[in-house]
Amino acid sequence: MILRIIIILLSIFATIIPVHAQGETFTDGDFKFRTINDSECEIIGAEPNYPSRYFIIPSAATFNGNSYTVTAIGKAAFKEYEDRMCYSWEDNEYFNLASLPYKYTGELTIPPTIVTIGDSAFFACRGLYGDLIIPNSVKSIGKYAFANTGGRPFIDIARYWSLGFHGKLSLPESLTTIEEGAFDTGNFTGDLIIPNSVVSIGGFAFRYCKEFKGDLKLGDSLKTIGKYSFFGCEGFIGELTIPESVTTLGNYAFSFCNFTGKLTIPNSVTTIGDGAFYKCNMLEGLTLGNSINYIGEFAFSDCWKLKGDLYLPNSLTYIGDCAFSTLTNLGDGFDGILTMSNSITYIGESAFGGCSNLKGELNFGNSLKTISKNAFFGCGNLTGELIIPESVTYIGERAFMRCSKLTGIVNIPSSITKLPESLFEDCSGLSGFIGDQVTDIGNQVFQGCYGFGNAGPLSIHEAITHIGDYAFSGCRYKGDLIIPESVTYIGSNAFSYNNFTGELVVPYSVKFIGDGAFKSIPFTKITLNQSAPAIFAATFKQCNSLETVVLGDSIKSLGNWTQTDPHENFPGGVFESCVNLKNIVLGKNIKTIGTSTFRNCPGLTGNLVLPQSLVTIGDNAFKDCTGLTGELIFPPSLEEIGTEAFTNC
């Protein structure tokens, strides 16, 4: 009986008290809403003809006689068109909605009942203007909530002019997270203060907010600054203070900002992302905290006004590509002492490229494994002995190019067998290298290392097989040049402009000798026993002390040119301008004596004996060989004699 009475009473109450399901949509006045629970709702849009001049978000709404507190602004509630190009079927053409009035205009007022602002809530609402004051009740601002509100002038300026929000942005102390892209591309002005309650700033949060002027003040609870958070905020011109609470600086977080003064990265930071301060051209000094273990690529690249010392903490293990480079403004950047971390394992491409004013010694730790290409390119004021740790397993091309004040004999780590292009080019302070395991010396590796000339003769060990173009050009070596039988390739100008003397013997193992390989060297005798069938242009040009040449029977051609570019000038004949050359023994299998091969060799005297195998004599081949006398007998095999081949003989 009692149970029956209770059931009857409940049924009566059910008819009196309406129960609204969660998620019901309704309209109240000019706005649309959706219920959250029996007492709260979110605003999800406005009626099509909403006559906004002052855009005021209501704090309450009524539905079926019940009052609801508006606690949220829904996802994309007032989102405008991003791409405002539309097609008119009536006029058969495209037109730009940017020339029409924005749907939502005026100053925005958000009531103190709002707790959550959803993703893209006001995305591209460029018709809104004035200050944006977010009340202290707000705890969460969604992704791209106010993104792309930065405006632009329209066609009919009198009717539709707006710059979007062009006043100050005021963030509440209740806010804990600023989501990705929340204020991306806005026109806010003045200083920006991130409240102490904020723990995380998402990627792109304030990207391209160029109109901020003055200081950026970061709250004391901030831990993460996401990628591109303040990218392109060029109006920030004060000093930047990063709180001790921050652990991560995202990729390009502050790139293209104009902060001034000295930047201190606190001890709490462990990671500095790629391009974090790229092209922050007004920074004047840098102090790195002692917990950093990773500096990404371009992190401080092209920060031209950074001066003073650069101390890399011992916690640091990784330096990304171009991390501190000033390659686009050579001569600018740090001008103090570089102190390397003992823990570094990786130095990226052009990490210090162009830092020509950095001073001090390169003291690498035994953890170092990789020195990438151009790592210290152009660091011409680094001094002291260059010691590369045995731990290094990779060195890239041009890694130490133009480090002219580094000194000592370089020990190449045992795991390095190939020296890459221009590795030590123009390192004029070095006095030699040791590396018995090296098999391949690349192009221009030691070109211009004229300090080698003070360290005695060049010792080419038995493991080397390949000597690249200009490899030892201009090193000013003295004494004998002994080429071991392991060598198979000698590149163009490989030994040019050195001071070797005595006899050069090229062994049979050599299969290729490039243009100008031994140009302008004072040898007195050359014996060519190589297996290579050709000697190319200018190989021994201007060897002014040369008196005797003995060519082996494997040689079939003198004076071919390896250059295929028609715009390049011919470098000269094989023995051109060897003015003291007196004796030549031509191998019995020579078929071609090429252009200018013996031109201007006045020391050649007496009869010229041409081999019976000869087919072609090139242009100017013996021109100006004024010492040749007697009868000249051409072999029956000869088919062609070039222009002025024997002029002035």
Side-chain angles (χ1 to χ4, degrees):
M1 182 66 182
I2 296 174
L3 178 61
R4 183 179 297 177
I5 294 172
I6 293 173
I7 293 173
I8 293 171
L9 289 173
L10 289 174
S11 63
I12 294 171
F13 282 120
T15 61
I16 297 173
I17 302 174
V19 177
H20 300 297
Q22 180 178 344
E24 257 191 287
T25 60
F26 64 94
T27 300
D28 184 12
D30 294 318
F31 296 100
K32 298 177 181 179
F33 302 89
R34 182 187 294 117
T35 59
I36 298 173
N37 53 42
D38 287 343
S39 61
E40 297 177 341
C41 68
E42 63 176 342
I43 188 168
I44 58 173
E47 286 293 282
N49 297 320
Y50 174 64
S52 62
R53 179 179 178 188
Y54 299 101
F55 196 164
I56 301 174
I57 303 294
S59 60
T62 301
F63 177 43
N64 286 344
N66 279 5
S67 179
Y68 292 85
T69 302
V70 181
T71 59
I73 300 173
K75 181 178 180 180
F78 303 100
K79 181 178 180 180
E80 290 266 21
Y81 291 105
E82 169 62 4
D83 182 1
R84 299 172 68 84
M85 294 300 296
C86 296
Y87 186 75
S88 169
W89 293 101
E90 182 178 349
D91 299 324
N92 194 30
E93 64 180 1
Y94 284 93
F95 67 97
N96 191 347
L97 282 176
S99 65
L100 302 178
Y102 282 112
K103 184 176 180 181
Y104 306 112
T105 60
E107 297 184 16
L108 175 63
T109 300
I110 299 173
T113 59
I114 298 295
V115 177
T116 301
I117 300 174
D119 297 349
S120 302
F122 296 94
F123 183 89
C125 287
R126 298 188 181 98
L128 300 177
Y129 54 82
D131 297 338
L132 175 56
I133 299 174
I134 299 175
N136 286 330
S137 56
V138 174
K139 295 181 180 179
S140 173
I141 299 175
K143 295 179 180 179
Y144 298 94
F146 295 92
N148 285 13
T149 56
R152 53 195 172 209
F154 304 141
I155 296 173
D156 188 348
I157 294 179
R159 290 184 61 198
Y160 308 127
W161 170 266
S162 175
L163 288 176
F165 294 111
H166 53 274
K168 290 187 176 182
L169 172 61
S170 178
L171 300 175
E173 288 290 343
S174 54
L175 195 62
T176 58
T177 301
I178 300 174
E179 294 285 358
E180 176 181 310
F183 301 95
D184 185 13
T185 319
N187 281 344
F188 307 105
T189 61
D191 297 337
L192 175 61
I193 300 174
I194 305 297
N196 290 330
S197 56
V198 173
V199 175
S200 174
I201 299 175
F204 309 94
F206 298 93
R207 181 182 62 162
Y208 289 129
C209 291
K210 297 182 178 182
E211 301 302 318
F212 279 125
K213 303 294 182 185
D215 294 335
L216 168 63
K217 297 178 181 179
L218 302 174
D220 293 337
S221 300
L222 189 60
K223 293 183 179 180
T224 301
I225 301 175
K227 63 183 180 181
Y228 293 88
S229 293
F230 298 95
F231 180 94
C233 293
E234 57 192 35
F236 288 130
I237 56 175
E239 290 193 14
L240 174 63
T241 300
I242 298 175
E244 288 284 349
S245 55
V246 173
T247 59
T248 301
L249 300 174
N251 296 348
Y252 295 90
F254 298 98
S255 183
F256 291 96
C257 292
N258 287 318
F259 300 113
T260 58
K262 186 172 183 178
L263 174 65
T264 298
I265 307 295
N267 293 333
S268 56
V269 173
T270 59
T271 299
I272 300 176
D274 299 345
F277 296 92
Y278 176 61
K279 286 189 179 293
C280 288
N281 298 330
M282 306 304 288
L283 289 174
E284 298 169 7
L286 176 64
T287 299
L288 298 174
N290 57 23
S291 298
I292 297 171
N293 55 53
Y294 180 99
I295 297 177
E297 62 184 45
F298 295 95
F300 298 94
S301 179
D302 290 339
C303 295
W304 305 319
K305 289 192 176 182
L306 281 175
K307 301 296 181 184
D309 298 339
L310 176 56
Y311 174 82
L312 303 179
N314 284 329
S315 57
L316 185 62
T317 61
Y318 185 100
I319 302 174
D321 299 347
C322 299
F324 298 96
S325 70
T326 58
L327 289 174
T328 58
N329 273 54
L330 295 178
D332 290 329
F334 295 102
D335 56 3
I337 303 298
L338 171 63
T339 303
M340 298 294 293
S341 164
N342 291 328
S343 303
I344 290 176
T345 61
Y346 181 93
I347 300 175
E349 295 180 13
S350 303
F352 300 91
C355 294
S356 58
N357 293 321
L358 271 178
K359 302 176 179 66
E361 299 184 3
L362 281 179
N363 294 318
F364 298 121
N366 291 323
S367 300
L368 186 60
K369 296 182 183 297
T370 299
I371 303 174
S372 301
K373 67 179 181 181
N374 299 311
F376 296 93
F377 174 88
C379 293
N381 278 303
L382 292 175
T383 57
E385 185 176 2
L386 176 59
I387 300 175
I388 301 174
E390 181 63 22
S391 58
V392 172
T393 58
Y394 176 83
I395 306 176
E397 58 198 49
R398 297 181 296 277
F400 298 97
M401 182 177 174
R402 298 182 186 171
C403 293
S404 57
K405 293 184 180 180
L406 295 177
T407 61
I409 297 175
V410 180
N411 276 281
I412 308 299
S414 59
S415 60
I416 305 295
T417 59
K418 180 178 180 179
L419 302 184
E421 179 178 325
S422 300
L423 177 57
F424 300 104
E425 183 178 346
D426 291 331
C427 290
S428 54
L430 297 179
S431 53
F433 78 102
I434 298 173
D436 292 344
Q437 79 289 350
V438 174
T439 60
D440 188 325
I441 299 176
N443 297 342
Q444 301 165 284
V445 169
F446 298 106
Q447 183 180 11
C449 293
Y450 54 77
F452 284 17
N454 300 320
L458 170 62
S459 176
I460 302 176
H461 58 79
E462 292 289 341
I464 290 178
T465 60
H466 181 106
I467 300 173
D469 300 347
Y470 294 89
F472 294 97
S473 179
C475 289
R476 302 183 186 177
Y477 274 115
K478 304 179 183 72
D480 295 334
L481 173 59
I482 300 174
I483 298 175
E485 293 186 356
S486 59
V487 174
T488 60
Y489 182 100
I490 299 174
S492 299
N493 289 279
F495 297 98
S496 60
Y497 301 105
N498 276 280
N499 296 317
F500 300 114
T501 55
E503 181 179 2
L504 171 66
V505 177
V506 179
Y508 184 78
S509 61
V510 176
K511 298 178 181 179
F512 179 89
I513 301 177
D515 305 340
F518 301 96
K519 183 179 179 180
S520 297
I521 298 176
F523 295 121
T524 56
K525 182 178 180 180
I526 294 173
T527 301
L528 302 178
N529 295 323
Q530 83 274 13
S531 59
I535 303 295
F536 291 102
T539 299
F540 298 98
K541 182 180 178 181
Q542 294 175 345
C543 291
N544 294 329
S545 298
L546 185 60
E547 297 179 357
T548 301
V549 172
V550 179
L551 303 181
D553 291 340
S554 63
I555 298 173
K556 297 180 180 180
S557 174
L558 296 175
N560 289 344
W561 190 25
T562 59
Q563 178 57 256
T564 58
D565 187 346
H567 301 290
E568 291 290 330
N569 294 324
F570 180 64
V574 178
F575 297 100
E576 184 177 345
S577 297
C578 293
V579 294
N580 286 304
L581 181 60
K582 297 179 174 63
N583 305 300
I584 55 172
V585 178
L586 300 175
K588 63 182 181 181
N589 293 314
I590 288 181
K591 294 183 178 181
T592 300
I593 297 176
T595 300
S596 301
T597 296
F598 294 100
R599 181 175 182 174
N600 191 33
C601 293
L604 290 174
T605 58
N607 295 327
L608 177 63
V609 180
L610 300 176
Q612 295 299 307
S613 57
L614 191 61
V615 176
T616 301
I617 299 175
D619 298 345
N620 305 304
F622 293 92
K623 184 178 181 179
D624 297 325
C625 291
T626 55
L628 289 176
T629 58
E631 187 177 4
L632 179 61
I633 300 175
F634 296 113
S637 58
L638 189 64
E639 298 177 0
E640 181 181 353
I641 300 176
T643 303
E644 298 190 12
F646 294 95
T647 299
N648 294 332
C649 291

